[in-house]
Amino acid sequence: MKEWSVYLSGEIHTDWRDQIESGVRKSELPIIFSSPVTIHENSDDCGVEILGEEKDPFWHDHKGAKINAIRTRTLIEQADIVVVRFGEKYKQWNAAFDAGYAAALGKPIITMHEPEHRHALKEVDGAALAVARTADEVVQIFEYVINGHLRGRQNRVAAE
Amino acid sequence: MKEWSVYLSGEIHTDWRDQIESGVRKSELPIIFSSPVTIHENSDDCGVEILGEEKDPFWHDHKGAKINAIRTRTLIEQADIVVVRFGEKYKQWNAAFDAGYAAALGKPIITMHEPEHRHALKEVDGAALAVARTADEVVQIFEYVINGHLRGRQNRVAAE
Amino acid sequence: MKEWSVYLSGEIHTDWRDQIESGVRKSELPIIFSSPVTIHENSDDCGVEILGEEKDPFWHDHKGAKINAIRTRTLIEQADIVVVRFGEKYKQWNAAFDAGYAAALGKPIITMHEPEHRHALKEVDGAALAVARTADEVVQIFEYVINGHLRGRQNRVAAE
Amino acid sequence: MKEWSVYLSGEIHTDWRDQIESGVRKSELPIIFSSPVTIHENSDDCGVEILGEEKDPFWHDHKGAKINAIRTRTLIEQADIVVVRFGEKYKQWNAAFDAGYAAALGKPIITMHEPEHRHALKEVDGAALAVARTADEVVQIFEYVINGHLRGRQNRVAAE
Amino acid sequence: MKEWSVYLSGEIHTDWRDQIESGVRKSELPIIFSSPVTIHENSDDCGVEILGEEKDPFWHDHKGAKINAIRTRTLIEQADIVVVRFGEKYKQWNAAFDAGYAAALGKPIITMHEPEHRHALKEVDGAALAVARTADEVVQIFEYVINGHLRGRQNRVAAE
Amino acid sequence: MKEWSVYLSGEIHTDWRDQIESGVRKSELPIIFSSPVTIHENSDDCGVEILGEEKDPFWHDHKGAKINAIRTRTLIEQADIVVVRFGEKYKQWNAAFDAGYAAALGKPIITMHEPEHRHALKEVDGAALAVARTADEVVQIFEYVINGHLRGRQNRVAAE
Amino acid sequence: MKEWSVYLSGEIHTDWRDQIESGVRKSELPIIFSSPVTIHENSDDCGVEILGEEKDPFWHDHKGAKINAIRTRTLIEQADIVVVRFGEKYKQWNAAFDAGYAAALGKPIITMHEPEHRHALKEVDGAALAVARTADEVVQIFEYVINGHLRGRQNRVAAE
Amino acid sequence: MKEWSVYLSGEIHTDWRDQIESGVRKSELPIIFSSPVTIHENSDDCGVEILGEEKDPFWHDHKGAKINAIRTRTLIEQADIVVVRFGEKYKQWNAAFDAGYAAALGKPIITMHEPEHRHALKEVDGAALAVARTADEVVQIFEYVINGHLRGRQNRVAAE
């Protein structure tokens, strides 16, 4: 059976990734998850920690952003599906950047956010194949996409 | 030995997929099959079941079609060969859409249909590398393409 | 100012292409249209007329379909936008094939059909950026996409 | 001499596009500019104005976002250079989405924003070939990239 | 009206290119032709004439073949249609190489040869969209593909 | 250690494939070989045997050539290296076609032929990264490319 | 007649570009040349002159190199042919970088250098379609590639 | 867990590859390394040793460079990350060529060199996502990119 690769992009301050991964384990779906580095301070400081201090905060950020890009671009390009989560806080331009990057590569995109962001995210949602609100909805999409199952329906096993 | 990936697109109301898969098992060919979700009601309702009801039937269908696309486009893009079956009933525009999608990706296409659809399918057949009528013919194509065998011929094992 | 290339795929028995082209001329939009050969008998017979008779109707159709593909694939690949019209009659699998072909190439697709085909066309509509019903709607989309104008709105000229 | 195509993405509430275009005219540079539709209300309402009302604001936005995508994706894909402006207000996720889209296509990107957005835009800036603050800096980049000129330097004409 | 680019590959010892070009002029078709260098001795000697003598005939040929490739690969990649002519004499492996090269690029291919080569050319013909015997047939294909005309039929002008 | 995929194209009347495969086994190289179907009669008749008789020999060949293409194009596209053997007999246009196909895909090509074909194969050799005469030379190329070994040299193991 | 685009990469301290362009003008060849900015100081300082001073020489260079990349990558990607000149002085790693960049894009490459660099440039020359020593040789290659002419030969005009 | 492929390009006279590989083993990172053949004499002589002597040193080098390209281009194209090391000696144009080749393919590049090469390598560094000085820095980049770990920081395991 095919293993699916799913990249979980966006918000790193809540436990939405854990919720999805735990739901997927319960459903025993063959998914391998990847994500950006989610330790916020490491993500911010990796450039200067490894390659040397910078006085100008622009270059501090620049060195870090590029090292993070080694990871994120590689994993997005190798993913079957990209989930992009927009949370309540911060600008989250990197999440929208990832969505655009995935869209240009033709990756199926699932966005996940509260309805209040509907208007601001209309271009991103317009490029997505599903717009979810909760982690559980994302898990249900995986259950259906991989096995053809819908909860509460009588499901014969769909051939994959 | 190489495993071949075959996507079985099209008609979901008859057992043509089972016939092909059972023939392939008998011939012990190293093929992994994939297909759209073949539970008709689930395929129709997945969007609203997971992401919430829609009053307008257009959006009901739209949400479902896009979730199905997460599965179908991924599997078509990863297939070595795409088989497209046109049955007796319905418009089956999604089957023709899949054929066009596979053609633009340069995938080898096998169409499978009755002669009565010859004229209506001429553009689709024109883009195919084989036009079969029965599941058994499709299985024979796999036997030949993978092992070089023709039934009723003396076959030494062709190096793959 | 950019010239836009628009390919008009699908139905050849009604005058929808003329309606769109005439609407575009009135709006003075910089669009160059292309289409399949719309003389039905020529489209059917081009293969055998040029390259010699075939007794088997399959090969009669096959030779024609491939010569038509020289034109249609080239023009679709060079189009900025692909409009796909589904009419009332016939199977129209070539229209759905063109839509799939355009989708895999990442072309913006506008479908044009009556609501009664909503369910049968849900996968095709799901891959489209606009689902129109009339030629006039398609012309309005061009007016907006190219110049930013909406009829009945006060429009300053949008920079292109 | 080569004409350069430049797409101006992002903020639509200030006159930064006019400033760049006016600076480019003064320098007599062979640039053709394109941009999204910058009439805010038209951009918001194009979907429902042309294709019919929607009660649910999500579908109102969705129809509009997709029609806008016909224009924006086509123009970004045909641009030589993409400038992405982040202003002071709003989420501007569409700007970051465009930057990601352009990055995956390998387009040279110039971002333009105030230093206060430095940290929030570090991933986007990390994918850019220049990070500018003012319209005049962007014009100077064009002067240099196209003609090899730097203001205040003795410039012999660079062969293009 | 679109200008079509046609690359004429293969045999350089007969006047088939002149026949096609003269037929096209009569039909006033908007086609720009390109071809390999057809002066046989120049084609053989270009490498050593320009870049210096070689004692070993292998390197004599090698230097020439590569300079010719600067021309041929560029023109094939920029062609809309590739015509490949197989004549009566010589191995003509370069013609078959060009056909394979064009096929992998997805170019529409027209082959042109006598029926006696049917079996030996079956793989090449299998990748072609038309298999012609005479220059006049090739011209007729262009008349149809570009204008929708078939000789001896009543043709209204097909929209292009 | 990386497994290398090598496609062996061309001549099917001598045992050059066996020689290469046997040499590779002796050198214990991690290579997986693939090839066209090398049972000549099956290759010629597969189309009509599976999909039904044809009276016209052109269509007999055509049906077979296309079924063979399902195998050959898939395997060439998935190969790391393509070896193309030109023997003493026949036109062998399919071998040259495969070489052109592989060249356009950017595959490393090794040709294998006698010096007498030098001039006729100059374009094909010009696109190759190595021009070999014997099966043993091809094996030595693999020994070097994979392990860095040259026979008769003192070889420390090259890191792969 | 097709206009050819030629990018002249590499050495900026001698007049080799002028020699080629003057030779091409004499031969009246339809070539449009492009190149990096050849004013050395501007090329070094463009980043800091336009976007602000940097104390660290690494970032001084970095800002400049990226602005130069806006020009050079765009022009290389749009060139038909890339000429790479290696002179007598400096490391010239940017020239070799351009050659690798062009090679991966499948651009025909002509290198131009003295024989003393033969061994050091063997990988670069191995990826080139011609290895020239003088500007006049490069001009002769263009004369042949575009018109089929060899000096001192009786040339009938080769169809282009 | 994903295995990462890293290609180590450049200098072959010092033990920098061993240092990186040994550091990676200590950190137990899932990386598979590849590289060019690092036995200098074999790399120089492989062409003539296998395919026969050449009197002209240009062709001696040419045959070898192309056989090396079978290995290097294949491994670069299949790598997730390309590290390019510039040492103290020689022209090292092949290293810069590899960097350009990797850049055009969109591969994440890490350069590794002493600060004294800063100015000469500015274009290459400008295309890199990290510029390292020591093997240990490269290892730390891998530790971070793969596991999210920074030495001396409190690291919870980053989900990959």
PDB file of all heavy atoms in Angstrom, chain B residues 2 80 129 137 140 144-146 148 153 155-156 159-160, chain F residues 33-35 37-39 42-43 45 49 66 68 71 78:
ATOM      1  N   LYS B   2      11.182  -4.646 -11.219  1.00  0.00           N
ATOM      2  CA  LYS B   2      10.405  -3.422 -11.080  1.00  0.00           C
ATOM      3  C   LYS B   2       8.947  -3.719 -10.751  1.00  0.00           C
ATOM      4  O   LYS B   2       8.315  -4.547 -11.383  1.00  0.00           O
ATOM      5  CB  LYS B   2      10.463  -2.658 -12.401  1.00  0.00           C
ATOM      6  CG  LYS B   2       9.525  -1.451 -12.463  1.00  0.00           C
ATOM      7  CD  LYS B   2       9.584  -0.769 -13.822  1.00  0.00           C
ATOM      8  CE  LYS B   2       8.392   0.136 -14.004  1.00  0.00           C
ATOM      9  NZ  LYS B   2       8.256   1.178 -12.971  1.00  0.00           N
ATOM     10  N   ASP B  80       2.649   4.424 -13.478  1.00  0.00           N
ATOM     11  CA  ASP B  80       3.403   4.134 -14.700  1.00  0.00           C
ATOM     12  C   ASP B  80       2.467   4.060 -15.901  1.00  0.00           C
ATOM     13  O   ASP B  80       2.841   4.442 -17.003  1.00  0.00           O
ATOM     14  CB  ASP B  80       4.118   2.772 -14.571  1.00  0.00           C
ATOM     15  CG  ASP B  80       5.207   2.793 -13.528  1.00  0.00           C
ATOM     16  OD1 ASP B  80       5.951   3.778 -13.468  1.00  0.00           O
ATOM     17  OD2 ASP B  80       5.307   1.811 -12.768  1.00  0.00           O
ATOM     18  N   LEU B 129      -2.070   4.291 -26.113  1.00  0.00           N
ATOM     19  CA  LEU B 129      -1.119   3.361 -26.728  1.00  0.00           C
ATOM     20  C   LEU B 129      -1.756   2.001 -26.974  1.00  0.00           C
ATOM     21  O   LEU B 129      -1.172   1.159 -27.651  1.00  0.00           O
ATOM     22  CB  LEU B 129       0.147   3.237 -25.869  1.00  0.00           C
ATOM     23  CG  LEU B 129       1.040   4.484 -25.912  1.00  0.00           C
ATOM     24  CD1 LEU B 129       2.249   4.322 -24.984  1.00  0.00           C
ATOM     25  CD2 LEU B 129       1.535   4.763 -27.341  1.00  0.00           C
ATOM     26  N   GLU B 137      -8.033  -8.641 -22.161  1.00  0.00           N
ATOM     27  CA  GLU B 137      -7.055  -8.022 -23.071  1.00  0.00           C
ATOM     28  C   GLU B 137      -6.092  -7.117 -22.307  1.00  0.00           C
ATOM     29  O   GLU B 137      -4.894  -7.086 -22.600  1.00  0.00           O
ATOM     30  CB  GLU B 137      -7.778  -7.214 -24.154  1.00  0.00           C
ATOM     31  CG  GLU B 137      -8.427  -8.069 -25.216  1.00  0.00           C
ATOM     32  CD  GLU B 137      -9.286  -7.252 -26.192  1.00  0.00           C
ATOM     33  OE1 GLU B 137      -9.371  -6.016 -26.012  1.00  0.00           O
ATOM     34  OE2 GLU B 137      -9.870  -7.848 -27.106  1.00  0.00           O
ATOM     35  N   GLN B 140      -3.608  -9.254 -20.631  1.00  0.00           N
ATOM     36  CA  GLN B 140      -2.616  -9.742 -21.603  1.00  0.00           C
ATOM     37  C   GLN B 140      -1.588  -8.668 -21.970  1.00  0.00           C
ATOM     38  O   GLN B 140      -0.413  -8.965 -22.186  1.00  0.00           O
ATOM     39  CB  GLN B 140      -3.319 -10.226 -22.872  1.00  0.00           C
ATOM     40  CG  GLN B 140      -4.051 -11.549 -22.693  1.00  0.00           C
ATOM     41  CD  GLN B 140      -4.654 -12.028 -24.009  1.00  0.00           C
ATOM     42  OE1 GLN B 140      -3.936 -12.351 -24.948  1.00  0.00           O
ATOM     43  NE2 GLN B 140      -5.987 -12.043 -24.075  1.00  0.00           N
ATOM     44  N   TYR B 144       2.449  -9.012 -21.442  1.00  0.00           N
ATOM     45  CA  TYR B 144       3.446  -8.753 -22.480  1.00  0.00           C
ATOM     46  C   TYR B 144       4.388  -7.615 -22.084  1.00  0.00           C
ATOM     47  O   TYR B 144       5.616  -7.719 -22.205  1.00  0.00           O
ATOM     48  CB  TYR B 144       2.774  -8.431 -23.819  1.00  0.00           C
ATOM     49  CG  TYR B 144       3.818  -8.073 -24.843  1.00  0.00           C
ATOM     50  CD1 TYR B 144       4.600  -9.065 -25.432  1.00  0.00           C
ATOM     51  CD2 TYR B 144       4.080  -6.744 -25.157  1.00  0.00           C
ATOM     52  CE1 TYR B 144       5.604  -8.743 -26.322  1.00  0.00           C
ATOM     53  CE2 TYR B 144       5.085  -6.411 -26.044  1.00  0.00           C
ATOM     54  CZ  TYR B 144       5.846  -7.418 -26.617  1.00  0.00           C
ATOM     55  OH  TYR B 144       6.859  -7.101 -27.491  1.00  0.00           O
ATOM     56  N   VAL B 145       3.823  -6.521 -21.621  1.00  0.00           N
ATOM     57  CA  VAL B 145       4.646  -5.340 -21.329  1.00  0.00           C
ATOM     58  C   VAL B 145       5.662  -5.641 -20.221  1.00  0.00           C
ATOM     59  O   VAL B 145       6.804  -5.192 -20.270  1.00  0.00           O
ATOM     60  CB  VAL B 145       3.746  -4.147 -20.947  1.00  0.00           C
ATOM     61  CG1 VAL B 145       4.541  -3.045 -20.260  1.00  0.00           C
ATOM     62  CG2 VAL B 145       3.046  -3.600 -22.177  1.00  0.00           C
ATOM     63  N   ILE B 146       5.239  -6.436 -19.242  1.00  0.00           N
ATOM     64  CA  ILE B 146       6.127  -6.692 -18.104  1.00  0.00           C
ATOM     65  C   ILE B 146       7.054  -7.875 -18.354  1.00  0.00           C
ATOM     66  O   ILE B 146       8.237  -7.816 -18.047  1.00  0.00           O
ATOM     67  CB  ILE B 146       5.288  -6.906 -16.822  1.00  0.00           C
ATOM     68  CG1 ILE B 146       4.544  -5.602 -16.497  1.00  0.00           C
ATOM     69  CG2 ILE B 146       6.155  -7.348 -15.650  1.00  0.00           C
ATOM     70  CD1 ILE B 146       3.594  -5.689 -15.329  1.00  0.00           C
ATOM     71  N   GLY B 148       7.047  -9.868 -21.490  1.00  0.00           N
ATOM     72  CA  GLY B 148       7.294 -10.208 -22.886  1.00  0.00           C
ATOM     73  C   GLY B 148       6.535 -11.437 -23.350  1.00  0.00           C
ATOM     74  O   GLY B 148       6.764 -11.928 -24.457  1.00  0.00           O
ATOM     75  N   ARG B 153       2.207 -18.659 -27.315  1.00  0.00           N
ATOM     76  CA  ARG B 153       3.517 -18.594 -27.940  1.00  0.00           C
ATOM     77  C   ARG B 153       4.518 -19.272 -27.020  1.00  0.00           C
ATOM     78  O   ARG B 153       4.325 -19.360 -25.810  1.00  0.00           O
ATOM     79  CB  ARG B 153       3.969 -17.130 -28.131  1.00  0.00           C
ATOM     80  CG  ARG B 153       3.152 -16.334 -29.096  1.00  0.00           C
ATOM     81  CD  ARG B 153       3.530 -16.715 -30.523  1.00  0.00           C
ATOM     82  NE  ARG B 153       2.714 -15.988 -31.474  1.00  0.00           N
ATOM     83  CZ  ARG B 153       3.203 -15.043 -32.291  1.00  0.00           C
ATOM     84  NH1 ARG B 153       4.477 -14.725 -32.261  1.00  0.00           N
ATOM     85  NH2 ARG B 153       2.406 -14.449 -33.147  1.00  0.00           N
ATOM     86  N   ASN B 155       7.473 -18.934 -25.039  1.00  0.00           N
ATOM     87  CA  ASN B 155       8.124 -17.748 -24.505  1.00  0.00           C
ATOM     88  C   ASN B 155       9.346 -18.116 -23.683  1.00  0.00           C
ATOM     89  O   ASN B 155       9.217 -18.794 -22.676  1.00  0.00           O
ATOM     90  CB  ASN B 155       7.158 -17.003 -23.573  1.00  0.00           C
ATOM     91  CG  ASN B 155       5.935 -16.501 -24.301  1.00  0.00           C
ATOM     92  OD1 ASN B 155       6.055 -15.711 -25.221  1.00  0.00           O
ATOM     93  ND2 ASN B 155       4.754 -16.996 -23.902  1.00  0.00           N
ATOM     94  N   ARG B 156      10.505 -17.700 -24.140  1.00  0.00           N
ATOM     95  CA  ARG B 156      11.585 -17.690 -23.166  1.00  0.00           C
ATOM     96  C   ARG B 156      11.407 -16.413 -22.345  1.00  0.00           C
ATOM     97  O   ARG B 156      10.811 -15.443 -22.808  1.00  0.00           O
ATOM     98  CB  ARG B 156      12.954 -17.746 -23.833  1.00  0.00           C
ATOM     99  CG  ARG B 156      13.186 -16.681 -24.865  1.00  0.00           C
ATOM    100  CD  ARG B 156      14.572 -16.833 -25.500  1.00  0.00           C
ATOM    101  NE  ARG B 156      14.680 -15.961 -26.651  1.00  0.00           N
ATOM    102  CZ  ARG B 156      15.010 -14.667 -26.573  1.00  0.00           C
ATOM    103  NH1 ARG B 156      15.275 -14.125 -25.420  1.00  0.00           N
ATOM    104  NH2 ARG B 156      15.072 -13.928 -27.664  1.00  0.00           N
ATOM    105  N   ALA B 159      14.288 -10.720 -20.618  1.00  0.00           N
ATOM    106  CA  ALA B 159      14.990  -9.945 -19.586  1.00  0.00           C
ATOM    107  C   ALA B 159      14.257  -8.636 -19.371  1.00  0.00           C
ATOM    108  O   ALA B 159      13.847  -7.988 -20.317  1.00  0.00           O
ATOM    109  CB  ALA B 159      16.419  -9.658 -20.031  1.00  0.00           C
ATOM    110  N   GLU B 160      14.064  -8.296 -18.131  1.00  0.00           N
ATOM    111  CA  GLU B 160      13.411  -6.993 -17.865  1.00  0.00           C
ATOM    112  C   GLU B 160      14.427  -6.007 -17.315  1.00  0.00           C
ATOM    113  O   GLU B 160      15.219  -6.351 -16.478  1.00  0.00           O
ATOM    114  CB  GLU B 160      12.279  -7.176 -16.856  1.00  0.00           C
ATOM    115  CG  GLU B 160      11.425  -5.935 -16.721  1.00  0.00           C
ATOM    116  CD  GLU B 160      11.659  -5.215 -15.422  1.00  0.00           C
ATOM    117  OE1 GLU B 160      12.110  -5.850 -14.478  1.00  0.00           O
ATOM    118  OE2 GLU B 160      11.400  -4.015 -15.365  1.00  0.00           O
TER     119      GLU B 160
ATOM    120  N   PHE F  33      19.029  -4.127 -14.682  1.00  0.00           N
ATOM    121  CA  PHE F  33      18.912  -3.922 -16.118  1.00  0.00           C
ATOM    122  C   PHE F  33      17.467  -3.973 -16.578  1.00  0.00           C
ATOM    123  O   PHE F  33      16.645  -4.713 -16.028  1.00  0.00           O
ATOM    124  CB  PHE F  33      19.703  -4.992 -16.881  1.00  0.00           C
ATOM    125  CG  PHE F  33      21.181  -4.829 -16.744  1.00  0.00           C
ATOM    126  CD1 PHE F  33      21.913  -5.603 -15.856  1.00  0.00           C
ATOM    127  CD2 PHE F  33      21.845  -3.868 -17.499  1.00  0.00           C
ATOM    128  CE1 PHE F  33      23.283  -5.434 -15.718  1.00  0.00           C
ATOM    129  CE2 PHE F  33      23.224  -3.689 -17.371  1.00  0.00           C
ATOM    130  CZ  PHE F  33      23.934  -4.475 -16.476  1.00  0.00           C
ATOM    131  N   SER F  34      17.175  -3.219 -17.606  1.00  0.00           N
ATOM    132  CA  SER F  34      15.893  -3.373 -18.286  1.00  0.00           C
ATOM    133  C   SER F  34      16.156  -3.258 -19.785  1.00  0.00           C
ATOM    134  O   SER F  34      17.229  -2.837 -20.219  1.00  0.00           O
ATOM    135  CB  SER F  34      14.888  -2.312 -17.822  1.00  0.00           C
ATOM    136  OG  SER F  34      15.350  -1.020 -18.138  1.00  0.00           O
ATOM    137  N   SER F  35      15.181  -3.627 -20.577  1.00  0.00           N
ATOM    138  CA  SER F  35      15.383  -3.679 -22.026  1.00  0.00           C
ATOM    139  C   SER F  35      14.026  -3.771 -22.705  1.00  0.00           C
ATOM    140  O   SER F  35      13.012  -3.979 -22.047  1.00  0.00           O
ATOM    141  CB  SER F  35      16.208  -4.912 -22.385  1.00  0.00           C
ATOM    142  OG  SER F  35      15.455  -6.072 -22.115  1.00  0.00           O
ATOM    143  N   VAL F  37      11.345  -5.868 -25.080  1.00  0.00           N
ATOM    144  CA  VAL F  37      11.121  -7.301 -25.235  1.00  0.00           C
ATOM    145  C   VAL F  37      12.036  -7.796 -26.354  1.00  0.00           C
ATOM    146  O   VAL F  37      12.038  -7.238 -27.448  1.00  0.00           O
ATOM    147  CB  VAL F  37       9.649  -7.591 -25.584  1.00  0.00           C
ATOM    148  CG1 VAL F  37       9.462  -9.058 -25.979  1.00  0.00           C
ATOM    149  CG2 VAL F  37       8.765  -7.238 -24.390  1.00  0.00           C
ATOM    150  N   THR F  38      12.834  -8.822 -26.040  1.00  0.00           N
ATOM    151  CA  THR F  38      13.849  -9.259 -27.003  1.00  0.00           C
ATOM    152  C   THR F  38      13.457 -10.535 -27.750  1.00  0.00           C
ATOM    153  O   THR F  38      14.272 -11.110 -28.454  1.00  0.00           O
ATOM    154  CB  THR F  38      15.196  -9.471 -26.284  1.00  0.00           C
ATOM    155  OG1 THR F  38      14.973 -10.369 -25.192  1.00  0.00           O
ATOM    156  CG2 THR F  38      15.733  -8.153 -25.763  1.00  0.00           C
ATOM    157  N   ILE F  39      12.222 -11.009 -27.574  1.00  0.00           N
ATOM    158  CA  ILE F  39      11.722 -12.133 -28.381  1.00  0.00           C
ATOM    159  C   ILE F  39      11.130 -11.527 -29.646  1.00  0.00           C
ATOM    160  O   ILE F  39      10.039 -10.945 -29.624  1.00  0.00           O
ATOM    161  CB  ILE F  39      10.642 -12.927 -27.617  1.00  0.00           C
ATOM    162  CG1 ILE F  39      11.114 -13.223 -26.188  1.00  0.00           C
ATOM    163  CG2 ILE F  39      10.281 -14.201 -28.374  1.00  0.00           C
ATOM    164  CD1 ILE F  39      10.026 -13.810 -25.300  1.00  0.00           C
ATOM    165  N   ASN F  42       7.443 -12.114 -30.789  1.00  0.00           N
ATOM    166  CA  ASN F  42       6.468 -11.527 -29.868  1.00  0.00           C
ATOM    167  C   ASN F  42       6.412 -10.015 -30.043  1.00  0.00           C
ATOM    168  O   ASN F  42       5.335  -9.408 -30.052  1.00  0.00           O
ATOM    169  CB  ASN F  42       6.833 -11.856 -28.412  1.00  0.00           C
ATOM    170  CG  ASN F  42       6.598 -13.322 -28.080  1.00  0.00           C
ATOM    171  OD1 ASN F  42       6.410 -14.132 -28.993  1.00  0.00           O
ATOM    172  ND2 ASN F  42       6.609 -13.660 -26.809  1.00  0.00           N
ATOM    173  N   SER F  43       7.572  -9.419 -30.155  1.00  0.00           N
ATOM    174  CA  SER F  43       7.635  -7.979 -30.332  1.00  0.00           C
ATOM    175  C   SER F  43       6.887  -7.553 -31.601  1.00  0.00           C
ATOM    176  O   SER F  43       6.190  -6.541 -31.614  1.00  0.00           O
ATOM    177  CB  SER F  43       9.103  -7.542 -30.405  1.00  0.00           C
ATOM    178  OG  SER F  43       9.205  -6.192 -30.737  1.00  0.00           O
ATOM    179  N   ASP F  45       4.387  -9.246 -33.085  1.00  0.00           N
ATOM    180  CA  ASP F  45       2.991  -9.671 -33.172  1.00  0.00           C
ATOM    181  C   ASP F  45       2.138  -9.308 -31.959  1.00  0.00           C
ATOM    182  O   ASP F  45       0.938  -9.615 -31.935  1.00  0.00           O
ATOM    183  CB  ASP F  45       2.930 -11.198 -33.360  1.00  0.00           C
ATOM    184  CG  ASP F  45       3.594 -11.631 -34.655  1.00  0.00           C
ATOM    185  OD1 ASP F  45       3.723 -10.784 -35.576  1.00  0.00           O
ATOM    186  OD2 ASP F  45       3.988 -12.797 -34.744  1.00  0.00           O
ATOM    187  N   GLU F  49      -1.926 -10.154 -31.707  1.00  0.00           N
ATOM    188  CA  GLU F  49      -2.206 -11.314 -30.856  1.00  0.00           C
ATOM    189  C   GLU F  49      -3.170 -10.950 -29.731  1.00  0.00           C
ATOM    190  O   GLU F  49      -4.059 -11.708 -29.395  1.00  0.00           O
ATOM    191  CB  GLU F  49      -0.900 -11.842 -30.231  1.00  0.00           C
ATOM    192  CG  GLU F  49      -0.089 -12.721 -31.134  1.00  0.00           C
ATOM    193  CD  GLU F  49      -0.678 -14.123 -31.273  1.00  0.00           C
ATOM    194  OE1 GLU F  49      -1.115 -14.686 -30.250  1.00  0.00           O
ATOM    195  OE2 GLU F  49      -0.725 -14.633 -32.408  1.00  0.00           O
ATOM    196  N   LYS F  66       3.009   0.356 -30.589  1.00  0.00           N
ATOM    197  CA  LYS F  66       2.494   1.156 -29.482  1.00  0.00           C
ATOM    198  C   LYS F  66       2.480   0.381 -28.168  1.00  0.00           C
ATOM    199  O   LYS F  66       2.730   0.946 -27.108  1.00  0.00           O
ATOM    200  CB  LYS F  66       1.096   1.649 -29.814  1.00  0.00           C
ATOM    201  CG  LYS F  66       1.134   2.841 -30.761  1.00  0.00           C
ATOM    202  CD  LYS F  66      -0.253   3.379 -30.944  1.00  0.00           C
ATOM    203  CE  LYS F  66      -0.244   4.769 -31.508  1.00  0.00           C
ATOM    204  NZ  LYS F  66      -1.608   5.188 -31.874  1.00  0.00           N
ATOM    205  N   ASN F  68       4.569  -1.969 -27.454  1.00  0.00           N
ATOM    206  CA  ASN F  68       5.974  -1.967 -27.051  1.00  0.00           C
ATOM    207  C   ASN F  68       6.372  -0.638 -26.415  1.00  0.00           C
ATOM    208  O   ASN F  68       7.186  -0.601 -25.487  1.00  0.00           O
ATOM    209  CB  ASN F  68       6.871  -2.266 -28.259  1.00  0.00           C
ATOM    210  CG  ASN F  68       6.936  -3.763 -28.553  1.00  0.00           C
ATOM    211  OD1 ASN F  68       7.352  -4.540 -27.704  1.00  0.00           O
ATOM    212  ND2 ASN F  68       6.499  -4.163 -29.735  1.00  0.00           N
ATOM    213  N   ARG F  71       6.103  -0.232 -22.679  1.00  0.00           N
ATOM    214  CA  ARG F  71       7.253  -0.737 -21.926  1.00  0.00           C
ATOM    215  C   ARG F  71       8.498   0.141 -22.085  1.00  0.00           C
ATOM    216  O   ARG F  71       9.113   0.550 -21.114  1.00  0.00           O
ATOM    217  CB  ARG F  71       7.582  -2.157 -22.416  1.00  0.00           C
ATOM    218  CG  ARG F  71       8.816  -2.762 -21.765  1.00  0.00           C
ATOM    219  CD  ARG F  71       9.109  -4.137 -22.379  1.00  0.00           C
ATOM    220  NE  ARG F  71      10.330  -4.725 -21.914  1.00  0.00           N
ATOM    221  CZ  ARG F  71      10.419  -5.715 -21.024  1.00  0.00           C
ATOM    222  NH1 ARG F  71       9.336  -6.207 -20.485  1.00  0.00           N
ATOM    223  NH2 ARG F  71      11.592  -6.202 -20.669  1.00  0.00           N
ATOM    224  N   GLN F  78      12.769   5.908 -16.617  1.00  0.00           N
ATOM    225  CA  GLN F  78      13.142   5.589 -15.238  1.00  0.00           C
ATOM    226  C   GLN F  78      14.587   5.124 -15.116  1.00  0.00           C
ATOM    227  O   GLN F  78      15.053   4.825 -14.011  1.00  0.00           O
ATOM    228  CB  GLN F  78      12.166   4.560 -14.672  1.00  0.00           C
ATOM    229  CG  GLN F  78      10.750   5.148 -14.550  1.00  0.00           C
ATOM    230  CD  GLN F  78       9.705   4.138 -14.122  1.00  0.00           C
ATOM    231  OE1 GLN F  78       9.995   2.965 -13.932  1.00  0.00           O
ATOM    232  NE2 GLN F  78       8.471   4.592 -13.970  1.00  0.00           N
TER     233      GLN F  78
END
